[in-house]
Amino acid sequence: MSMLNLSKEEFKNKFKNGKITVAVYGQGKMGLPLANVFAEAGVNVIGVDICEEVVENLNKGINHITEEPFLSELVAKNVKNGTYCATTDGKLAAEKADIMIILVPTLTDEKGNIKLGPVYNVAEIISSGLKEGNIVITEATMPPSTTESLITIFEKSGLKLSNGDFGLAHAPERTMTGTALRDIKGQYPKIIGANDSKTLEILSGMYETINNAGIVPISGIKGAEAVKVFEGVYRDVNIGLANELALWCEEHNVDALEVFESANTQPYCHIHTPGAGVGGHCIPVYPWFVINSSEKLNPRITKTARELNDYMAHHMVELTIKGLNSFEKSLKNAKILVLGLTFRGGVKEFMKSAAIPIISELNGWDADVYAFDPLCDETDANRYGAKWAEMESYKWDAVIITSDHVEFKNMDLDKLMKNVNIPLIVDGRNTIDPVIAREKGFKYLSVGNFKL
Ligand SMILES: NC(=O)c1ccc[n+]([C@@H]2O[C@H](COP(=O)([O-])OP(=O)(O)OC[C@H]3O[C@@H](n4cnc5c(N)ncnc54)[C@H](O)[C@@H]3O)[C@@H](O)[C@H]2O)c1
């Protein structure tokens, strides 16, 4: 059935009544929740993945993205109802589907050099089953222009985009691991940009049906790709600004968080939270998509914020050295416990985690470095250059907090006090209340709160 001959209302009716088939390529942290939200809405969904074990389990109703709340129940329900199934046969899925969505990994190094192999691979497979009237949507995050670079691959099918034989669009995944179902169903509106107005109309019908927050149409594919990238750049630059102002506060003996909170009562002021650095696959990476693709512009602000945010790990070590020196102790041979290996609380991901450069620099000063993280084990700690320890393992000379795990927020400070040689906490995530920590006798230092 051609999607491009339907009106929006006709499409919506067929979509809700199980007359449309959607193939979602990539059944990972983002693709599996999306596929199952579609299936719940009544569509026939084929989840495509290269991992045979994942596919085999999904067809038994077994979810492998266990950190996503409510996903296990949803997958089991959809498999039972027959609205969702999985396959490794991407060509067959393309032959059966009306709409194909690409949501495979787009891995990058920390300078935004991207590996688009999986995207190109899926585009080739889709091309082998592409039919007239189909729509292909990229949802994976990619540098602007990437979706249009796939046109020549899709046209190997013999169909021509400029003749309106098929539709092409980008609809960025604006979700986060751990809240994907909530986000997809309406935490934010869905951004959609398409090659032509007919494709855009069908996409509005589709995403309006599953997303209560509605849609934001953008006049073109490249613009839609830029939206997601700019969201990341905005966060990185603003965190950079918060870090800069926090460093000023340290120099002037002013409590940054108190100042920021007060300033933010003015509706035009949104100073972010300072900290040990910016981690993850998104925020510290997307600025490079802008920097690396600018021929005429020199994106100074974007570059400087990136540089400053990367510097914060070094500043955490500086704070530790200053804290130890105030106890007449040097960093050399000091027993340091780094709390947190992951880049943020509750999620086991290490990309650009602040702990990694901090551990490396501490080792460079010949400190005796240990790490603990409730989501990790000894292998993870050793991989990043630290020994594994729990709070009670030794008497610590300093405790450095690098991830905002709930376990650290709720840490028993009285118990910690019994396990320290020097009562020094350097908090890179504002996890602990400075007033309470100081009342209990700790020297508490954080980015923007420096009292020796
Ligand atoms: N994880 C996040 O918080 C998040 C948030 C927003 C956007 N994104 C973007 O979403 C996209 C997907 O990320 P993710 O976190 O779901 O990745 P993921 O690593 O969790 O899952 C990717 C899945 O794709 C499968 N896969 C790999 N190559 C394939 C191929 N050629 N054909 C079919 N399946 C293939 C893998 O086996 C895996 O199951 C990326 O572009 C990412 O940047 C991720």
Side-chain angles (χ1 to χ4, degrees):
M1 181 194 347
S2 171
M3 297 295 96
L4 302 173
N5 292 334
L6 298 174
S7 71
K8 185 168 157 184
E9 283 316 308
E10 285 169 338
F11 173 82
K12 276 182 155 180
N13 281 333
K14 289 187 185 300
F15 188 85
K16 285 182 200 154
N17 294 320
K19 301 280 191 289
I20 306 276
T21 301
V22 175
V24 180
Y25 289 77
Q27 291 296 279
K29 291 185 283 296
M30 295 296 116
L32 186 61
L34 181 73
N36 278 280
V37 170
F38 279 129
E40 192 184 30
V43 190
N44 295 309
V45 181
I46 309 171
V48 185
D49 205 284
I50 44 167
C51 181
E52 282 181 14
E53 194 188 338
V54 162
V55 166
E56 211 172 287
N57 280 327
L58 286 172
N59 282 326
K60 290 181 197 152
I62 302 169
N63 162 39
H64 65 113
I65 309 292
T66 47
E67 65 264 44
E68 195 58 51
F70 312 113
L71 186 57
S72 297
E73 298 85 326
L74 189 59
V75 171
K77 184 179 93 177
N78 290 332
V79 170
K80 196 167 166 221
N81 292 347
T83 51
Y84 174 82
C85 67
T87 180
T88 52
D89 191 341
K91 179 171 185 274
L92 187 66
E95 284 165 356
K96 286 186 176 172
D98 304 299
I99 295 172
M100 299 84 161
I101 297 177
I102 303 178
L103 201 36
V104 288
T106 45
L107 296 177
T108 43
D109 65 21
E110 55 190 50
K111 295 249 163 126
N113 298 309
I114 190 159
K115 291 183 197 134
L116 288 169
V119 173
Y120 287 121
N121 178 270
V122 168
E124 293 280 357
I125 290 167
I126 289 178
S127 167
S128 67
L130 193 68
K131 307 166 297 302
E132 207 163 332
N134 283 173
I135 295 176
V136 184
I137 305 165
T138 56
E139 284 216 16
T141 311
M142 302 175 298
S145 294
T146 305
T147 302
E148 283 165 352
S149 77
L150 305 176
I151 294 172
T152 49
I153 300 178
F154 295 131
E155 290 190 340
K156 286 185 192 173
S157 61
L159 301 174
K160 260 209 133 359
L161 186 68
S162 55
N163 291 349
D165 294 344
F166 65 99
L168 185 64
H170 181 70
E173 195 55 80
R174 305 173 82 198
T175 62
M176 269 199 330
T177 314
T179 54
L181 288 177
R182 179 203 72 176
D183 298 346
I184 292 167
K185 288 180 181 184
Q187 185 69 7
Y188 327 100
K190 187 76 177 175
I191 306 294
I192 52 174
N195 188 63
D196 59 273
S197 57
K198 192 68 222 178
T199 304
L200 194 66
E201 186 185 331
I202 297 301
L203 250 69
S204 334
M206 181 165 90
Y207 288 109
E208 268 169 17
T209 311
I210 60 161
N211 189 325
N212 294 330
I215 49 129
V216 176
I218 295 279
S219 62
I221 292 176
K222 201 168 176 178
E225 288 171 325
V227 170
K228 171 80 186 171
V229 171
F230 286 7
E231 286 170 10
V233 173
Y234 173 85
R235 296 273 293 147
D236 201 45
V237 166
N238 279 284
I239 295 168
L241 175 65
N243 282 332
E244 186 156 281
L245 296 177
L247 293 174
W248 183 95
C249 289
E250 283 181 23
E251 197 183 312
H252 291 81
N253 201 18
V254 172
D255 177 353
L257 285 189
E258 187 189 27
V259 175
F260 293 0
E261 215 177 293
S262 308
N264 287 347
T265 58
Q266 208 274 3
Y268 302 110
C269 189
H270 308 282
I271 306 179
H272 286 37
T273 310
V278 179
H281 289 278
C282 303
I283 300 174
V285 172
Y286 300 163
W288 292 106
F289 292 177
V290 170
I291 297 165
N292 293 343
S293 63
S294 302
E295 280 167 22
K296 293 188 191 133
L297 173 76
N298 175 14
R300 299 167 187 84
I301 296 175
T302 311
K303 270 191 214 165
T304 306
R306 192 80 297 287
E307 195 180 294
L308 184 66
N309 290 336
D310 274 353
Y311 160 80
M312 297 315 290
H314 168 71
H315 182 64
M316 288 289 291
V317 177
E318 279 182 337
L319 288 178
T320 310
I321 293 173
K322 286 179 183 166
L324 284 171
N325 285 355
S326 72
F327 289 97
E328 306 293 328
K329 170 87 184 162
S330 86
L331 189 51
K332 188 170 179 178
N333 297 326
K335 266 202 165 30
I336 311 285
L337 176 62
V338 175
L339 288 179
L341 288 166
T342 64
F343 86 87
R344 75 173 159 95
V347 175
K348 193 177 175 185
E349 282 182 18
F350 303 103
M351 173 72 168
K352 279 197 74 74
S353 169
I356 302 169
I358 289 173
I359 292 170
S360 164
E361 193 168 339
L362 291 170
N363 280 325
W365 285 93
D366 291 328
D368 195 12
V369 190
Y370 294 78
F372 172 75
D373 187 303
L375 298 182
C376 301
D377 58 23
E378 188 169 3
T379 319
D380 299 315
N382 295 167
R383 186 169 352 115
Y384 296 115
K387 290 168 273 186
W388 182 254
E390 306 223 351
M391 196 205 280
E392 304 82 14
S393 304
Y394 299 100
K395 295 263 183 215
W396 304 109
D397 294 319
V399 172
I400 304 179
I401 303 172
T402 49
S403 315
D404 55 348
H405 290 299
V406 69
E407 290 83 349
F408 302 157
K409 286 183 186 160
N410 299 331
M411 189 159 47
D412 181 343
L413 292 178
D414 295 320
K415 189 169 153 201
L416 178 62
M417 186 55 98
K418 291 190 186 121
N419 288 286
V420 296
N421 182 34
I422 292 175
L424 172 63
I425 297 174
V426 182
D427 187 353
R429 296 291 171 209
N430 305 295
T431 48
I432 290 179
D433 185 327
V435 177
I436 297 176
R438 285 173 184 145
E439 270 170 15
K440 290 193 181 287
F442 285 98
K443 187 153 284 184
Y444 174 93
L445 304 177
S446 69
V447 176
N449 192 337
F450 183 76
K451 273 194 199 129
L452 282 181

